[in-house]
Amino acid sequence: NDQKPVKFKDIATSYIDELQKKAQGHEDEFIIKTNIPEFDEITGGFNDTDLIIVGGTPGSGKTEKLISIIKGVTSNQENGALMFSLEMSNKQLVERAVSGSAGLPVSALRNPQNLTDNGWGLVGNGLSQIINNNFYMTDQVGLTVSDIIGIATRHKQDHPNTKLFAVDYAGLLDLDSSKRHDLALGEVSRKLKLAAKELKTPFI
């Protein structure tokens, strides 16, 4: 490894320059905004090397929130995102995305014969908000964390403007059965964090 340590002063000088630019309203290219105002206010956005872990009880809306974040990140047409859906099919993800954008319950989309003209208008409006975004997805099952990193690496090479990788969810990855569950998940987190740092793209 030919990488040499750098002096604090050298990094701090460039950091202060960036800080002043941000204070003047310039965007930080290393910060990924979700374009959800309240969320960005609380978090300040994501660093390009972050690993973000979202926790919650079953049915609490984690997948919907993840799709909202992806929708926000990719609302800038230059930005892309890739979601690994280990629980839902690609079609179900589209259903959830349209449901969230349209402000309609999923049950309404599953019973479209009951939709009014206004309901169809909401569906069209919701779809138009996300259909042209660079939102990629894969519903391949049985993936290991190494598979995820390999696919993410190739995707980043093919689509350099990818700003976010999402895994829904880590507990469904093919884990090392020789380790305790908590230790195996810890290993997944460690590898995803290293991948985020290597690819300069956050993982959720």
Side-chain angles (χ1 to χ4, degrees):
N1 192 330
D2 59 0
Q3 186 174 352
K4 294 181 179 178
V6 295
K7 193 172 183 180
F8 177 88
K9 181 180 179 180
D10 296 336
I11 303 299
T13 303
S14 64
Y15 171 74
I16 294 301
D17 289 341
E18 290 170 13
L19 206 58
Q20 289 173 336
K21 286 179 183 175
K22 282 196 283 187
Q24 295 165 359
H26 294 278
E27 287 290 322
D28 185 340
E29 63 177 307
F30 301 111
I31 297 294
I32 290 88
K33 297 286 187 168
T34 66
N35 292 306
I36 302 171
E38 299 86 350
F39 193 81
D40 287 335
E41 181 70 27
I42 292 168
T43 63
F46 302 141
N47 282 303
D48 61 353
T49 59
D50 278 349
L51 170 65
I52 303 103
I53 299 176
V54 179
T57 57
S60 61
K62 297 182 296 298
T63 300
E64 283 81 355
K65 181 54 63 185
L66 200 52
I67 291 171
S68 294
I69 290 171
I70 290 171
K71 179 185 163 192
V73 168
T74 60
S75 62
N76 174 340
Q77 296 295 309
E78 294 179 4
N79 295 343
L82 170 60
M83 183 170 180
F84 296 88
S85 178
L86 306 175
E87 184 175 34
M88 296 182 187
S89 69
N90 288 336
K91 194 174 284 187
Q92 284 177 300
L93 281 184
V94 169
E95 182 178 68
R96 292 294 176 99
V98 172
S99 165
S101 294
L104 289 168
V106 170
S107 58
L109 299 180
R110 291 182 181 170
N111 297 290
Q113 67 274 14
N114 296 329
L115 281 175
T116 62
D117 288 346
N118 181 56
W120 280 109
L122 291 172
V123 169
N125 182 53
L127 191 58
S128 70
Q129 291 178 37
I130 198 169
I131 196 167
N132 292 317
N133 294 19
N134 289 314
F135 178 3
Y136 292 83
M137 60 187 89
T138 175
D139 58 5
Q140 189 176 341
V141 296
L143 294 176
T144 65
V145 67
S146 297
D147 295 331
I148 295 267
I149 293 167
I151 294 167
T153 302
R154 286 193 301 276
H155 189 80
K156 183 76 175 183
Q157 289 168 350
D158 293 340
H159 306 277
N161 285 334
T162 300
K163 299 295 184 186
L164 185 69
F165 293 114
V167 181
D168 187 29
Y169 57 94
L172 289 178
L173 284 170
D174 193 0
L175 301 174
D176 184 347
S177 58
S178 67
K179 293 183 179 178
R180 275 187 1 220
H181 190 70
D182 57 333
L183 296 178
L185 279 176
E187 183 69 6
V188 165
S189 299
R190 185 184 74 82
K191 288 181 176 178
L192 289 179
K193 173 61 182 175
L194 291 174
K197 205 170 173 191
E198 181 73 25
L199 297 174
K200 293 189 169 34
T201 309
F203 276 82
I204 297 188

